Amino acid sequence: LEPDMLTIRQKPRLVAPGPVYAKYTDFHEHPFYEASSMRKIGDTYYFVYSSTLSHELCYATGKSPLGPFAFGGTLVSIGDVGYKGNIVPTNYMGNTHGGMVEIKGQWYIFYHRQTNKQKCARQGCAEPITILPDGSIPQVEVTSCGLNGGPLVGKGRYEARVACNLSSAKGTFAYRKSHEKDKKQEHPFFTQSGEDRNDNSDQYIANLKGGSWCAFKYFAFDGTEKQISVSGRGNGSFLVSTDKEGKALVASVPMNSSAPFRIAAGVYAMYFHYQGSDAADFISFEIR
């Protein structure tokens, strides 16, 4: 537009191809769909967008905001699809939107994931990103750390809503309109008491069934941790391990109870594998 913000200076220009035009370009596996934003870092423009795959934010780079742009890669996927070659979603997937923000010299990618079993109920998240000397940005893993600046402290109380991975015994799915009522109620989901709202502080994981699991990444432990307790609704228990397979067990704790907790000093993920015949709600856990 001209300075009067009314007069058109030039016609619209295609800067990022959608699925029709992406076929023979480097965007062909990640065509543009929506949620575009632009950042200039040094002399390079970073074009961030949500691809037609929906669950990911991608980026492209160019020397002008009008392009041409070269596809850069995936910044984040809410199911960690593509992260280190992963092809199995580690969370229920839907759409995601967001952008890059610099805070005190550190760049972050802000994005969202789904709550309440539908695409339009969303929980905001953030991960730090690294811009390499050649200008590329490696895909980041979805974690529980957000803006913490590193691993979470391995002591204290944490709400289940900060779990970064969630799955049923049968795996996950991508939310569609047909899933919103989930008539069989087979899958766990993030939710809260009352209506979905911006100021709630009581989010939790609902409908955990036998074989369901959730993960929290990452915690820094000093080796003095001795006890873990869990809070929720239900009569089952959790096997707590530092691996997805549940082989590196550090505790076995019944719901609304405490148990011994043994872990060596270091940085670990925490996987909670639910064991029970009835559905349960997972509210929080505490390590002492």
Side-chain angles (χ1 to χ4, degrees):
L1 298 179
E2 296 290 356
D4 63 9
M5 300 301 288
L6 296 172
T7 306
I8 296 175
R9 176 178 292 182
Q10 61 180 249
K11 296 179 180 180
R13 291 176 58 177
L14 177 67
V15 298
V20 173
Y21 296 103
K23 186 173 181 180
Y24 299 109
T25 75
D26 52 359
F27 289 80
H28 70 283
E29 293 184 350
H30 308 267
F32 171 81
Y33 183 63
E34 62 182 1
S36 59
S37 64
M38 194 84 68
R39 302 288 183 273
K40 187 179 183 182
I41 304 174
D43 63 351
T44 301
Y45 288 88
Y46 285 79
F47 181 81
V48 179
Y49 67 93
S50 178
S51 80
T52 55
L53 298 181
S54 192
H55 60 77
E56 65 178 8
L57 289 177
C58 299
Y59 77 98
T61 57
K63 296 303 180 183
S64 164
L66 298 178
F69 282 97
F71 178 75
T74 298
L75 292 166
V76 66
S77 160
I78 58 176
D80 280 334
V81 174
Y83 178 72
K84 293 186 176 180
N86 178 54
I87 60 174
V88 179
T90 56
N91 192 18
Y92 294 89
M93 299 200 299
N95 54 27
T96 193
H97 310 93
M100 289 166 50
V101 178
E102 183 184 19
I103 303 174
K104 297 181 178 180
Q106 171 66 58
W107 282 93
Y108 295 86
I109 183 67
F110 284 78
Y111 61 102
H112 68 70
R113 61 180 180 180
Q114 276 63 40
T115 65
N116 291 295
K117 298 187 292 183
Q118 60 137 316
K119 292 191 296 183
C120 294
R122 299 160 179 174
Q123 181 189 56
C125 306
E127 305 292 344
I129 59 175
T130 300
I131 303 175
L132 299 179
D134 65 359
S136 64
I137 305 174
Q139 181 175 343
V140 294
E141 181 182 23
V142 173
T143 73
S144 303
C145 299
L147 306 180
N148 192 58
L152 302 170
V153 177
K155 286 188 177 72
R157 179 180 179 273
Y158 291 93
E159 296 180 42
R161 66 185 176 90
V162 302
C164 54
N165 299 158
L166 180 63
S167 176
S168 74
K170 298 180 180 180
T172 66
F173 59 75
Y175 285 116
R176 300 287 187 268
K177 198 73 176 176
S178 59
H179 292 135
E180 293 180 9
K181 294 183 179 179
D182 190 15
K183 294 179 181 179
K184 294 183 179 180
Q185 289 291 316
E186 293 179 351
H187 295 271
F189 56 96
F190 294 96
T191 188
Q192 72 290 311
S193 301
E195 297 295 322
D196 192 22
R197 57 194 186 278
N198 293 326
D199 61 350
N200 72 83
S201 60
D202 61 349
Q203 286 185 322
Y204 59 92
I205 297 174
N207 202 45
L208 283 169
K209 292 191 173 182
S212 295
W213 60 272
C214 56
F216 302 80
K217 300 174 181 178
Y218 290 91
F219 294 92
F221 297 100
D222 62 18
T224 64
E225 297 81 10
K226 301 298 183 186
Q227 189 179 68
I228 185 171
S229 59
V230 295
S231 173
R233 291 178 285 269
N235 298 314
S237 62
F238 289 99
L239 296 178
V240 185
S241 67
T242 58
D243 66 326
K244 182 180 176 181
E245 294 71 29
K247 296 179 180 179
L249 289 176
V250 293
S252 176
V253 55
M255 187 71 79
N256 295 312
S257 186
S258 300
F261 181 82
R262 296 290 183 270
I263 195 167
V267 176
Y268 302 95
M270 293 274 287
Y271 289 83
F272 286 71
H273 306 265
Y274 181 69
Q275 310 291 308
S277 57
D278 298 323
D281 296 336
F282 185 15
I283 296 174
S284 66
F285 66 93
E286 185 174 2
I287 300 172
R288 295 182 289 274

